[in-house]
Amino acid sequence: MCKIKPLFIVLGIIGLVLISCKDNSNSENDADNKVSSKVESKDDSSIEIQLEDGKNIILNSPNQSGNLFAPSSLAVNMDKDGIVVMLKLSKYKTPLENKVYDDPLDAQITLTSISHSGPLGKESYRSFNENENGEEGKVRINLISHSENHAEGTFEGTLYSQNKKEAIIKGKFKTKKKK
């Protein structure tokens, strides 16, 4: 059972990534009228990851997928070289503004890998996990601009795995609605 549980976690993450890529629009005009939309990557996106064991990982121009939920939510999934970074920004009562989000109820970052043989090994890091002292990870998403057609911003955070290992992450994203 111990070997099956991590497999289910990895399959669940892959399923979430695939679901977020699903195109539910019936036509081009319908997609323009919907609140959510698929997004695509711009070349100036990047991610820097520093692991507790001293490994430094730089991912330039990661693939991006996800949804823009104007005006109150943003989800961006970025992946490259088997590493997946998921950003989630939710502000249900107020439209998203061009500002910094650091409240863990509004902003979350998850860092994981598709395979256990990658640089992250079996660890998955999340902003809401705690370190050995019981301190929750920290996240900061700076939303530079946002509309139903694009989102641009930066992110950084200190994430922890369930095994209390630390990962420091920072990066930038720039997405636009697919045509």
Side-chain angles (χ1 to χ4, degrees), residues 16-159:
L16 286 173
V17 170
L18 292 175
I19 288 170
S20 70
C21 294
K22 182 179 176 186
D23 185 2
N24 293 323
S25 62
N26 294 330
S27 71
E28 216 172 286
N29 291 337
D30 286 345
D32 288 340
N33 295 328
K34 288 192 173 203
V35 173
S36 67
S37 61
K38 289 180 70 173
V39 295
E40 62 186 6
S41 174
K42 296 292 276 178
D43 289 335
D44 55 354
S45 300
S46 65
I47 304 168
E48 296 177 33
I49 304 164
Q50 182 178 10
L51 300 177
E52 185 178 85
D53 64 4
K55 288 181 191 170
N56 290 312
I57 304 166
I58 297 176
L59 305 174
N60 290 313
S61 300
N63 299 317
Q64 292 185 44
S65 63
N67 290 298
L68 298 172
F69 298 100
S72 64
S73 185
L74 168 73
V76 178
N77 300 320
M78 297 177 280
D79 68 88
K80 187 163 185 177
D81 301 332
I83 296 175
V84 179
V85 176
M86 293 175 269
L87 304 177
K88 182 179 179 187
L89 185 58
S90 300
K91 191 79 171 162
Y92 296 107
K93 294 182 182 176
T94 307
L96 291 176
E97 301 169 358
N98 300 338
K99 68 176 206 171
V100 175
Y101 293 89
D102 54 11
D103 183 336
L105 296 176
D106 294 334
Q108 297 176 2
I109 300 176
T110 300
L111 169 66
T112 191
S113 65
I114 295 171
S115 168
H116 290 221
S117 62
L120 301 179
K122 296 179 180 182
E123 301 295 331
S124 289
Y125 301 85
R126 293 177 175 80
S127 54
F128 52 81
N129 284 345
E130 297 177 348
N131 66 10
E132 292 175 347
N133 298 326
E135 297 168 351
E136 193 173 70
K138 297 194 182 334
V139 61
R140 183 178 173 100
I141 297 177
N142 180 12
L143 194 57
I144 297 168
S145 63
H146 176 266
S147 74
E148 62 185 64
N149 294 318
H150 83 284
E152 180 178 359
T154 62
F155 61 93
E156 61 184 288
T158 303
L159 315 177

